[in-house]
């Protein structure tokens, strides 16, 4: 039960901090998303991300911080295997399944629900 509670409060804290950034700064949402991905990469590089995952599980991996960690891990593994070329291929290879699933399901749901543009 504590795993769920920890995931909830850590994920909620991340979302609350992002909402504060949106409300109190002039940062655009795209820049905040990039900031979250970069934060995940830096936390992963510093070795802080894995202990966070052990503590909060999906509360840390589901937000965009988790995507930054995924990219970092993919690049790190690809560099170990292929050298400098892995810098360009590792992140895409590691995240391809998630990105593909998001695109496919987004397209399928757009066919089912027929979204309309706001007026």
């Amino acid at each position: 039960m504590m795993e769920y509670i920890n995931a909830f409060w850590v994920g909620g804290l991340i979302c609350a901090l992002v909402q504060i950034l949106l409300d109190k700064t002039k940062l655009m949402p795209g820049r905040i998303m990039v900031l979250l991905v970069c934060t995940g990469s830096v936390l992963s590089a510093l070795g802080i991300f894995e202990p966070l995952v052990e503590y909060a599980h999906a509360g840390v991996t589901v937000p965009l911080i988790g995507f930054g960690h995924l990219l970092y891990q993919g690049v790190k593994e690809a560099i170990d295997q292929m050298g400098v070329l892995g810098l360009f291929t590792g992140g895409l290879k590691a995240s391809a399944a998630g990105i593909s699933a998001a695109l496919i399901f987004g397209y399928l749901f757009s066919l089912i629900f027929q979204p309309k543009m706001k007026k």
Side-chain angles (χ1 to χ4, degrees):
M1 183 66 172
M2 282 305 293
E3 290 177 357
Y4 294 114
I5 293 170
N6 289 337
F8 179 79
W9 81 262
V10 172
L13 180 65
I14 292 168
C15 293
L17 292 173
V18 169
Q19 190 63 48
I20 290 169
L21 282 175
L22 283 167
D23 292 344
K24 300 294 181 185
T25 67
K26 293 183 179 184
L27 289 172
M28 300 298 289
R31 291 186 185 212
I32 293 174
M33 291 185 342
V34 169
L35 180 66
L36 287 169
V37 172
C38 291
T39 300
S41 298
V42 169
L43 290 175
S44 187
L46 295 174
I48 297 171
F49 197 85
E50 287 298 327
L52 280 174
V53 170
E54 290 176 17
Y55 179 75
H57 304 283
V60 180
T61 58
V62 171
L64 278 174
I65 291 176
F67 185 67
H69 169 70
L70 177 69
L71 291 176
Y72 174 80
Q73 292 300 320
V75 168
K76 181 180 170 190
E77 184 179 307
I79 287 175
D80 291 342
Q81 293 175 354
M82 297 185 291
V84 177
L85 186 60
L87 184 65
F88 302 105
T89 63
L92 294 173
K93 195 173 191 178
S95 62
I99 293 171
S100 297
L103 291 171
I104 290 167
F105 288 122
Y107 178 71
L108 289 175
F109 282 111
S110 73
L111 292 175
I112 294 168
F113 295 105
Q114 300 173 352
K116 295 173 180 64
M117 297 296 290
K118 288 185 176 183
K119 294 181 181 181

